Amino acid sequence: MAQPAVQPLSQGATLSERRRFWRDAFGAVRAETQRRVATLSDEDQIVQSMPDASPAKWHRAHVTWFFEQFLVVPNDPSYAPFDERFPFLFNSYYVAAGPRHARPQRGLITRPDGAEVTAYRAHVEAAVERLIETIADDRADEFFRVLEIGLHHEQQHQELLLTDILHAFAQNPTLPAYDPLWRMPRRPLAQGGYAELPAGIHKVGHAGDGYCFDNELPRHDTLIQPVRIARQLVSNAEWLEFMSDGAYEKPALWLSDGWTAVQTEGWQAPGHWQRRDDQWHVMTLSGSQPVDPAAPVCHINYYEADAFARWAGKHLPTEFEWEVAARAGLLPDAFGFVWQWTRSAYLPYPGYKAAEGALGEYNGKFMVSQMVLRGSSVATPAGHERVSYRNFFYPPARWQFTGLRLADYP
Ligand SMILES: [Fe+2]
């Protein structure tokens, strides 16, 4: 997804250069959010199709609340809130930031309407832009640090905006198109098969000066056993083969929780797939399309990825095997197609410590019962991906753009 490029900030930039850089970066990210909702009607923007998904209007307001709560209020004593009731409506999960509306009922918030949320965005944007120009020298480092978190946070919600509206549109019998021209990009032509990883001790975790979330640190050593990793993502053609071999009917292929879910949820194919006219179709951002055998399989959950690997006589890689392979340039389709499930539980790295205060709730408190995904997807905003990036979801989740690649052990 294209996004206006902001020139990188050079080492040793002056405060006025930094102000200009952050003003441009802030403007670009905020504009991208609005670009992504430009084709949505007011009605599209209030629907919540399931508790995990949020309305587009809520996303637009919540990312704004984040700047208001964590950046504007602490730095501008003269700030007048747009509406005192909004923090309750648009706080997501920050307990230290106060009480909040129940997540599954976000779709019931028909007021404020879309225009009021647009005005709320403008009100907070003006306050942020004022602070970017006026923040005192001795407070600038901390101010820009939190501003940067807010931008990456908004980019995460830009991806959710698309996955959540796709889920909503997939519930609509008319299967509307978000963007009639949308297509999954073609993957680079690459040799298939498996690449061997150099066994031994490797560094993993974020390195360098660029941005990362706290869950990508501390950088540390990990031992990689002899392993080969698939150069390419698993395709729809391979998934169709799995299905025609009785994928969803053979309990021996599934983890116990996965098999229970197959039966209670009635899964017979990946998420958003429909059988029509004797052919499999998939709901995409351009509406329902015939399943493309060459495209990577998408909208599968951890249980499905694990079952496929078992069926194939292979494994899912660990997140560290994935990272070592991606750093070595062995995975030409690592980014920009589908997030890839790993078999790593989402856990803190050795010595990880969440920040004090409400922003410490960003990642750390979710480090149980979820699995790590690596790479990025077609819905990830440009420039948001990183080789050390750790996405995480609960095993049954499959409304994101999620797929897999395999690993093999000698
Ligand atoms: Fe959020």
Side-chain angles (χ1 to χ4, degrees), residues 63-223:
V63 293
T64 303
W65 166 82
F66 192 97
F67 284 113
E68 180 182 56
Q69 173 75 28
F70 297 120
L71 197 66
V72 176
V73 169
N75 285 293
D76 183 356
S78 69
Y79 174 72
F82 182 81
D83 189 315
E84 303 276 2
R85 301 166 300 177
F86 281 15
F88 182 82
L89 295 178
F90 301 125
N91 176 358
S92 53
Y93 55 66
Y94 296 88
V95 176
R100 70 221 69 85
H101 186 55
R103 178 181 182 125
Q105 276 137 44
R106 288 174 184 165
L108 303 180
I109 307 173
T110 58
R111 308 291 178 93
D113 64 18
E116 284 173 276
V117 166
T118 300
Y120 175 47
R121 285 179 64 87
H123 179 84
V124 173
E125 277 167 16
V128 171
E129 284 160 4
R130 248 187 335 264
L131 281 166
I132 290 174
E133 299 310 326
T134 59
I135 193 76
D137 202 343
D138 61 340
R139 299 179 65 181
D141 285 352
E142 176 61 11
F143 176 82
F144 291 132
R145 186 186 76 82
V146 176
L147 174 62
E148 188 168 28
I149 295 173
L151 296 179
H152 288 266
H153 170 254
E154 182 146 350
Q155 288 187 311
Q156 291 183 311
H157 280 275
Q158 288 167 359
E159 174 147 5
L160 295 173
L161 263 169
L162 295 190
T163 59
D164 293 0
I165 200 66
L166 176 62
H167 188 271
F169 281 179
Q171 316 312 310
N172 183 329
T174 69
L175 300 172
Y178 164 82
D179 170 6
L181 299 179
W182 183 90
R183 292 289 178 275
M184 178 67 84
R186 288 262 152 215
R187 287 187 289 169
L189 284 174
Q191 57 180 140
Y194 287 77
E196 196 149 337
L197 289 191
I201 294 173
H202 291 264
K203 291 269 185 224
V204 289
H206 180 72
D209 300 331
Y211 183 83
C212 75
F213 286 113
D214 62 356
N215 62 6
E216 298 162 56
L217 294 170
R219 186 163 164 84
H220 63 282
D221 287 338
T222 192
L223 178 63

Side-chain angles (χ1 to χ4, degrees), residues 302-367:
Y302 180 78
Y303 298 133
E304 291 172 294
D306 173 85
F308 181 94
R310 191 167 294 105
W311 170 79
K314 302 288 193 290
H315 305 267
L316 298 177
T318 68
E319 62 168 317
F320 302 127
E321 290 162 355
W322 189 100
E323 184 173 328
V324 169
R327 282 187 191 283
L330 301 174
L331 311 178
D333 54 9
F335 299 101
F337 299 93
V338 291
W339 291 98
Q340 296 134 65
W341 288 104
T342 73
R343 69 171 201 276
S344 297
Y346 180 48
L347 293 172
Y349 284 175
Y352 168 83
K353 196 166 172 296
E356 301 282 330
L359 272 178
E361 295 182 50
Y362 200 112
N363 284 309
K365 70 180 186 180
F366 299 107
M367 290 175 173

